[in-house]
Amino acid sequence: MLAGVVPAQGATTIQTLHVFLAVGQSNMSGRGLPVGGTADAAEPRIFQYGAKTRTFRPATVPLDMHDTPSGLSPATTMAREYLKTQPADVGVLIIPAAHGDTSFTSAPGKLTWSVGAASAPAYDLPALAVKQTLSGIAAGKAAGYAVVLKGILWHQGEGNSSMTTAMYSASLDNLIAYFRGRLSAPKLPFVVGRMTPESIAGVPGRANVDKSHYQTPDRVAYTGFAPSLPCGLNPGDSTHFSRVGIEYLGRTYFAAYRQAIANTQASPIATPALSVPNCAGRAIAMDPTRFLDTRIWPGRVAAGKSVTFRVAGVRGVPANASAVAVNLTATSATSSGVITAYASGTSQPGTSNLNYVAGQTVSNLAMVPLGTDGRLTLTNTSSGTVHLIADVSAYFHDGTPTAPGVFSAVKPTRLLDTGSSSGAVAGGRTVSFKAGGTTGIPANASAVVLRITAFGTKSVGYLTAYATGSPMPSTSNLNYSAGQTVSNGVVVPVGTDGKVTVANTSSGSAQIIADVTGYFLPGKPTQVGALRAWSPTRFLDTRVTSGPVAAGGSVTVHVRGVKGIPTTVAAVVVNLTVTESKSIGYLTAFASGTSTPNASNLSYQRGQAVANLAVVPVGPDGKVKITNTSSGSVQIIADVAGYFRG
């Protein structure tokens, strides 16, 4: 048996390997950051035959490419997507043969993708890739697998900005023919990935290469074109995709691979728009990531004191992020109090993001602007100490937002306080207030982000927020008990008159406060990262479906292509509610198909009914997953209030 070979009859039942050759320059080699988390654990069905270490072994992040990659390659994500459509006895063998900073060239002493133009065998990238592929296939067969060559993934072009479209097309088409000929596969699917939209628009000549890329299916049979994500860049970089951008590209590679299989006659595809992407206000969702836990550092937050921590530029959030969706948790409090979150370096607003009582563990989602130093400040206004936890689930790009559905954060402003205006809202009654056209909010805003607080409550009940003039949805935004002060985040559409209505569904009166923290621009959201807000729609209620979720158990919710959510969805805005809880605990919501993050979305006590808003990325299977981490069972309700386009 070859050194480094994985036995065919090991822990898995894999019998057949489908081989994909990954070629091109740096983005294919792997530059998507960050890496190193639980999502990068070895996938037992994906293998590699490395460029530097020529052994057959499990695939890693980064892959073993010719150069020294620092991050994720789209070949890895594409392989994961592909395997979702294959039987359990099929695996993928990646041949990682890309190299950063390479091009079609005939210059002496240069690595080249030009067929027959290398000045020496060590610079002949096409020949090296073919040799590596044939050796990898042989190694897979030696390990006892049936091996089938399935396709080639290509991402390159940044190094050929001086070429005309015709020149680049001639070189690319010659390379495709060379690979198919040397690998004895005349119909082998070949997929071309698009460069970053920012570099295409910003670097002279790259539009010529881009045109060649998207015209490839029109010139060559059995080829496909994979679109890329605007604004999905590594910090301070316009050429290399971030992890978010790479994973998006990996998914479009899979879609384009299917296109290539069906492209038997060479047929045109729609020409993608070419413009300078305006990333401002676009949301990029991420699985909840912990940025602060004062139980570990720096210790309890004293009465009247603050804690400030960095968000932008660390843990996958770009340095130029303008705002974040952050889930705030207070625990081990020694007195009742409130927490206010705001941009570092600015004055503390007279509003709250999180209300709590002594000994309680409670969470709330906030959409908060970041300071110019990329930091966020949390202030404890109580008379006692408290521990604070902050988990970020999305970030928003900096700049002046102009596209429909993108987000703009504003300094928290109080729009309603019935305690100082109309008085308590009676059971079964509503209160409406102006949102669009108020301070900092344009009159035509499509939706607003509010912090709704109930206090002075006389009975058990819940509040529902919705656009004035539309029917009241049969869902809740905020659950409370008699005498309780509780708050929750809400993303709610604005009525045609610019107003929002809050209904008190309980049998007793309640005082209501509404603080606005941001808004979404009007218009149909067509760009990646734009939001469409709507009346909350119930997607899950375990009380009427599966029953209580057991301790440590999970439930998945299919959202892609369901109840008006498009197939291009990237994340959903969902109000999570727990009830009939048998112990203290918390829920974590995240993209299906990924590992459970070390973060929380909703904390609760035994027997408590409580809700919290969450921004949750959608998994490759179109689902989100909710895990019950407590030691007892709990009923879970999920109401979707909007979605971000992917």
Side-chain angles (χ1 to χ4, degrees):
M1 186 171 288
L2 299 176
V5 168
V6 177
Q9 303 301 325
T12 68
T13 58
I14 297 172
Q15 302 295 323
T16 303
L17 294 177
H18 290 178
V19 180
F20 289 90
L21 172 59
V23 285
Q25 56 184 115
S26 52
N27 273 313
M28 180 57 73
S29 177
R31 299 297 189 269
L33 299 173
V35 295
T38 55
D40 291 330
E43 163 58 57
R45 295 172 67 192
I46 304 179
F47 302 86
Q48 66 176 332
Y49 186 80
K52 292 195 290 288
T53 303
R54 296 294 179 91
T55 58
F56 174 74
R57 62 194 191 277
T60 55
V61 176
L63 290 166
D64 179 10
M65 294 284 184
H66 284 290
D67 62 351
T68 306
S70 56
L72 184 69
S73 166
T76 302
T77 301
M78 190 276 183
R80 290 171 178 161
E81 294 296 300
Y82 177 81
L83 286 175
K84 290 182 174 67
T85 68
Q86 301 300 310
D89 63 351
V90 171
V92 164
L93 172 58
I94 299 174
I95 309 296
H99 194 300
D101 194 25
T102 55
S103 62
F104 291 112
T105 180
S106 57
K110 293 288 187 180
L111 293 166
T112 183
W113 290 108
S114 293
V115 176
S119 56
Y123 302 122
D124 193 341
L125 291 170
L128 291 172
V130 167
K131 183 178 180 180
Q132 184 181 346
T133 302
L134 295 175
S135 297
I137 290 173
K141 290 179 178 178
Y145 296 96
V147 183
V148 183
L149 182 61
K150 283 291 186 176
I152 300 175
L153 311 178
W154 172 257
H155 197 283
Q156 191 273 338
E158 294 89 348
N160 286 117
S161 301
S162 62
M163 278 188 166
T164 65
T165 299
M167 291 169 59
Y168 187 90
S169 296
S171 295
L172 180 59
D173 296 356
N174 193 24
L175 179 66
I176 296 171
Y178 173 84
F179 279 139
R180 288 173 172 173
R182 290 293 303 274
L183 296 171
S184 302
K187 297 180 180 179
L188 186 64
F190 188 99
V191 182
V192 180
R194 196 180 200 192
M195 298 176 288
T196 70
E198 288 80 3
S199 72
I200 297 168
V203 178
R206 287 190 182 172
N208 296 335
V209 177
D210 182 54
K211 185 176 181 180
S212 172
H213 284 166
Y214 66 71
Q215 287 180 346
T216 303
D218 193 22
R219 300 190 313 270
V220 184
Y222 300 105
T223 63
F225 173 76
S228 60
L229 176 71
C231 310
L233 301 171
N234 282 324
D237 193 340
S238 64
T239 296
H240 297 112
F241 293 103
S242 66
R243 184 184 187 96
V244 170
I246 285 291
E247 290 183 331
Y248 181 93
L249 188 64
R251 293 191 290 271
T252 62
Y253 264 111
F254 176 58
Y257 174 73
R258 288 178 160 179
Q259 175 201 37
I261 293 172
N263 185 22
T264 59
Q265 301 294 325
S267 58
I269 65 170
T271 302
L274 178 60
S275 60
V276 179
N278 179 11
C279 301
R282 293 194 191 195
I284 299 295
M286 52 196 283
D287 277 332
T289 303
R290 187 144 293 173
F291 278 71
L292 174 73
D293 188 340
T294 63
R295 297 171 300 181
I296 300 172
W297 176 92
R300 286 181 168 275
V301 183
K305 298 298 184 180
S306 302
V307 59
T308 298
F309 56 98
R310 177 170 292 281
V311 178
V314 295
R315 299 183 187 177
V317 177
N320 63 345
S322 63
V324 290
V326 56
N327 198 63
L328 304 173
T329 301
T331 188
S332 303
T334 60
S335 70
S336 298
V338 299
I339 301 298
T340 300
Y342 53 102
S344 169
T346 65
S347 58
Q348 179 184 343
T351 58
S352 67
N353 296 96
L354 179 63
N355 299 67
Y356 59 87
V357 298
Q360 184 183 28
T361 298
V362 62
S363 302
N364 265 320
L365 184 79
M367 294 187 187
V368 190
L370 299 176
T372 55
D373 59 358
R375 297 174 185 266
L376 188 64
T377 295
L378 307 179
T379 296
N380 172 24
T381 64
S382 79
S383 60
T385 64
V386 65
H387 275 304
L388 299 177
I389 301 167
D391 300 319
V392 172
S393 59
Y395 61 84
F396 299 89
H397 286 286
D398 191 21
T400 302
T402 59
V406 299
F407 176 72
S408 181
V410 298
K411 183 176 181 178
T413 304
R414 186 145 294 173
L415 300 183
L416 172 71
D417 185 348
T418 61
S420 59
S421 58
S422 58
V425 180
R429 308 293 290 182
T430 65
V431 60
S432 298
F433 57 94
K434 190 79 169 176
T438 58
T439 303
I441 310 296
N444 61 346
S446 62
V448 288
V449 180
L450 300 174
R451 172 67 47 190
I452 301 289
T453 303
F455 70 101
T457 55
K458 301 303 183 184
S459 69
V460 174
Y462 65 87
L463 302 182
T464 297
Y466 56 100
T468 301
S470 62
M472 185 180 77
S474 57
T475 56
S476 65
N477 296 103
L478 175 64
N479 298 67
Y480 55 83
S481 302
Q484 187 179 24
T485 297
V486 62
S487 61
N488 193 18
V490 178
V491 174
V492 58
V494 177
T496 55
D497 58 358
K499 293 184 177 182
V500 170
T501 296
V502 180
N504 174 19
T505 65
S506 78
S507 59
S509 64
Q511 300 281 8
I512 301 173
I513 296 172
D515 300 318
V516 66
T517 61
Y519 65 90
F520 293 89
L521 294 183
K524 182 179 180 180
T526 58
Q527 299 189 22
V528 172
L531 173 91
R532 182 189 174 193
W534 60 21
S535 179
T537 302
R538 185 143 295 172
F539 273 66
L540 172 72
D541 188 342
T542 60
R543 297 171 301 179
V544 297
T545 55
S546 58
V549 179
S554 301
V555 61
T556 57
V557 185
H558 191 242
V559 296
R560 179 175 293 150
V562 177
K563 298 183 180 180
I565 296 180
T567 57
T568 54
V569 63
V572 288
V573 179
V574 57
N575 198 63
L576 299 173
T577 304
V578 298
T579 188
E580 301 176 24
S581 52
K582 301 302 182 184
S583 71
I584 189 172
Y586 65 89
L587 300 183
T588 298
F590 54 102
S592 174
T594 63
S595 302
T596 306
N598 178 32
S600 65
N601 295 98
L602 174 61
S603 303
Y604 54 86
Q605 308 292 321
R606 176 182 174 89
Q608 186 181 29
V610 62
N612 193 26
L613 195 68
V615 175
V616 188
V618 177
D621 58 358
K623 298 178 181 179
V624 298
K625 190 173 185 179
I626 307 168
T627 295
N628 170 25
T629 65
S630 79
S631 59
S633 66
V634 67
Q635 300 281 14
I636 302 175
I637 302 165
D639 300 320
V640 174
Y643 63 84
F644 290 101
R645 290 190 64 92

